[in-house]
Amino acid sequence: MTGIKVKVLSGRTLRQGVGKEAGKNSERYRTSVSICEMNSEDITSLSIKAGENVKVTSAHGSVVLKSVSSNQLTKPGMIFIPYGLYANQLFNETTGGSGMPTFKGEPAVVESAIEEPVKTLEELITEI
Amino acid sequence: MEIFQDVVCPVCGCLCDDIEVSVENNKIVKARNACAMGTTKFLNYNNDRIPSPMIKNNGVQKPVSLEECIEKTAEILVKAKYPLIYGLSLSSVESVKVAIELTEEVGGVLDNQTSVCHGPGVQGIHDIGESTGSLGEIRHRADLIIAWGANLQEAHPRHMERYSYTSKGRYRNGKEDRNLIVIDVRETLTAKAADKFIQIEQGKDFEFINALRTALRLEQIQKDKVAGVPVEEIEKLAEVLRSCEFGVIFFGQGVTQVNGKGRNIDGLFSLTRDLNSWTKFLIMPARGHFNVAGVNQVATWQTGFPYAIDLSRGYPWYNPGETTIIDIIRRGESDATLVVGSDPIAHFPPAISKRLINTPLISIDPAHSMTTMVSDVVIPSSFAGIEYEGLAYRMDGLCLPLKKLVKEPDNTMSDEKVLKMILAKVRELKKVN
Ligand code: SF4
């Protein structure tokens, strides 16, 4: 299966902000952080439809997420995953002497993963 | 029904202080004026409480008495050689004071969410100095607002309406009197609302800042494009910045969490300094949690340093990159962690979380989180700004009072009280030993 090369950004979204206030155990929180926002061209080039699952793999880990077409990503080659345990699977533990891991700009590959389920938060925690 | 006026919203660094909260039978039924995040917290905070103090036994968390939890926590902290105390951005200023005392008593490191949000911004203040002011001043006077790597519309939903772009001040009447320029790698909702959006290439903030400084000095940029932006556009931007009457840069994690980190922020602070030889210009981090700035304030007045303070040597030592939580855990140096109102397991890279879980982990939190799920000791607390009062600092350094709106559940108390109990127990154990 061929994937596309991207840079991963993580960050705050209003849905994630509302989800965390609704409770970390809530469905609202889980669905707000387990998505992969993509440029529509990138979605097309994976031969999937928005809403189908994708697998994102970086040098530090990999995670299956639900794809979402985003009009905030106006150019291909960048994906956005809201802050949380899902996004963090992809990031490195080093800080380059700054105290801060690089939560934006991690190189990764996205591929179609229509058959693979998005893990629950409990599953991700058990794997830690 | 009781109605509370001018309630301070305990969610984000905007600390909106105009919320009207209605309480019926000790239950919040309405929160007027708050944004979606604020309203959701006021109406749902009580949905997912930690039912009882718990200690892990054979891998399973079991309900115990509060006293047992306090004793166990104190034992862990006294036994540890290099414990970490982390969090507090959702606690009151008063709780932070006790946390610092406790860290000193156990000879550990106090760090908070600043480490993974605006730490590089704080380092920029040390390196260059900060031209700052209050959000009120910005509302009354600013005619140019720059949001740089900051998606205000989603992270601080009422920022524009209360303090910046669309706010109505004494000398600026809303957005017709102001310009909003967004500099970002994504066309965020903030960018879509702006007068001008400048899209730069990911990871190229440092280059772009320096090109802009060059254009500002009226020097020639020896390239056609920098960070994907044509030089003419950079020169035009420099002219807009130079010619405003009162400008402000709000920066977000779009510049602190990318490569370059502290150097990006040094660049932004230097840019602001340069701009002050042309006009009036301020810079301000758009802080996330409602009291993350308060932790920096209290820690600075008590220890001289804003975060990542190592108190293990008998005097405060501060060196971000060395004494920051991620680095300490990565080097495998800490041997216990007390987390207060934070969820590092949801927000740290898994390699760090793994190490965090492998040493004793204690959580003080009102509600369930990924971190409370895996903690060895869990102590339920009450919610600052809903169930107990105290002080918090807004992103511009203004101190505001949090209100008590409802009575807390019987088995909970403020972080301050829990921390005081732990401190007393620690002192008692140290005497015996
Ligand atoms: S903008 Fe921030 S402080 Fe204001 S109501 Fe929304 S969450 Fe609360």
Side-chain angles (χ1 to χ4, degrees), chain B residues 201-217:
Chain B
E201 284 169 6
Q202 203 281 325
K204 296 274 176 69
D205 293 84
F206 186 75
E207 287 86 333
F208 189 77
I209 294 163
N210 282 294
L212 190 53
R213 290 184 67 199
T214 306
L216 204 61
R217 289 194 299 268

Side-chain angles (χ1 to χ4, degrees), chain B residues 198 207-208 210-212 214-216 218-239:
Chain B
I198 297 176
E207 287 86 333
F208 189 77
N210 282 294
L212 190 53
T214 306
L216 204 61
L218 304 171
E219 288 171 7
Q220 234 194 336
I221 301 166
Q222 312 275 341
K223 281 196 143 200
D224 299 336
K225 277 183 173 188
V226 178
V229 183
V231 164
E232 307 81 73
E233 205 176 320
I234 299 175
E235 286 168 350
K236 254 192 239 155
L237 176 63
E239 182 52 36

Side-chain angles (χ1 to χ4, degrees), chain B residues 339-354:
Chain B
V339 177
V340 189
S342 176
D343 194 3
I345 300 293
H347 295 284
F348 286 179
I352 298 293
S353 299
K354 192 176 247 154

